[in-house]
Amino acid sequence: MEKELLFSRSDIQKRVKELGEQLSSDYAGKDPLFVGVLNGVVFFFADLMREISIPVKIDFMRAASYGSRMTSSGEIQITKDVEKPIRDRHVVLVEDIVDTGNTLAFVLKQMNEKDPASLKVCALMDKVERRQEEVTIDYAGFTIDSGFVVGYGLDYNEEYRNLPEIYVLKP
Ligand code: IMP
């Protein structure tokens, strides 16, 4: 499939550094727990953590949604939960991309039931056009209107994840 460059390595690096600085300042003294939502988040998560200058702890969870990836179905399941205790912790959920918002809304609900001291969201990409659930993205890397993006962890049928840049697929 044809693809077009959307964000270069340096665009990403610059933005991730800014997010890291913002989070470091907002969470100073709070011993935050950063929870990455697998799999797409791994590259962003690894880079973001290295731009954070305060002590942090990390954990991961995985949410699987069924149906076609390009249309996002709505049937969601937690296939791997966090392992660290969440109660009374300042938690930052780190996502690759928020599209309809269904996955995030589901994950937020599950997380909130564990009684964190606070719960915020950081997403690499905020894709707004197809949003169905009203979710607040407290820290957004890049906001796009529409399009299917790949690279830097984002896939199309498990392809393209390893590309260092972010591309938009041309149908
Ligand atoms: P949502 O539940 O519709 O917000 O979809 C979230 C999930 O759909 C993401 O975690 C991705 O796995 C996938 N997704 C949505 N849009 C894209 C895209 O443009 N590129 C790659 N994956 C996407």
Side-chain angles (χ1 to χ4, degrees), residues 39-159:
N39 291 338
V41 83
V42 289
F43 299 74
F44 173 49
F45 195 88
D47 286 344
L48 181 65
M49 291 308 105
R50 284 175 287 186
E51 296 295 349
I52 291 181
S53 56
I54 58 165
V56 298
K57 305 219 166 45
I58 69 169
D59 203 346
F60 295 95
M61 63 186 293
R62 182 157 191 206
S65 75
Y66 297 95
S68 160
R69 302 293 305 284
M70 264 181 156
T71 55
S72 208
S73 68
E75 187 71 16
I76 301 153
Q77 251 182 38
I78 304 292
T79 53
K80 183 220 174 296
D81 207 349
V82 283
E83 290 165 28
K84 292 198 168 63
I86 296 299
R87 184 178 296 273
D88 299 332
R89 297 296 309 269
H90 291 284
V91 176
V92 182
L93 262 182
V94 188
E95 272 271 14
D96 52 0
I97 181 163
V98 182
D99 181 13
T100 62
N102 290 331
T103 309
L104 180 58
F106 185 82
V107 168
L108 279 173
K109 187 164 165 281
Q110 301 284 315
M111 267 295 172
N112 263 320
E113 282 169 10
K114 299 179 197 283
D115 288 325
S118 68
L119 181 58
K120 299 252 163 141
V121 176
C122 174
L124 171 66
M125 310 278 302
D126 180 3
K127 189 162 83 179
V128 295
E129 196 189 42
R130 301 199 303 174
R131 192 66 41 83
Q132 292 170 5
E133 292 280 342
E134 249 185 64
V135 284
T136 304
I137 300 168
D138 305 279
Y139 304 90
F142 300 105
T143 300
I144 57 169
D145 188 47
S146 57
F148 199 86
V149 287
V150 296
Y152 196 58
L154 295 159
D155 76 305
Y156 172 60
N157 288 342
E158 294 301 327
E159 258 190 85

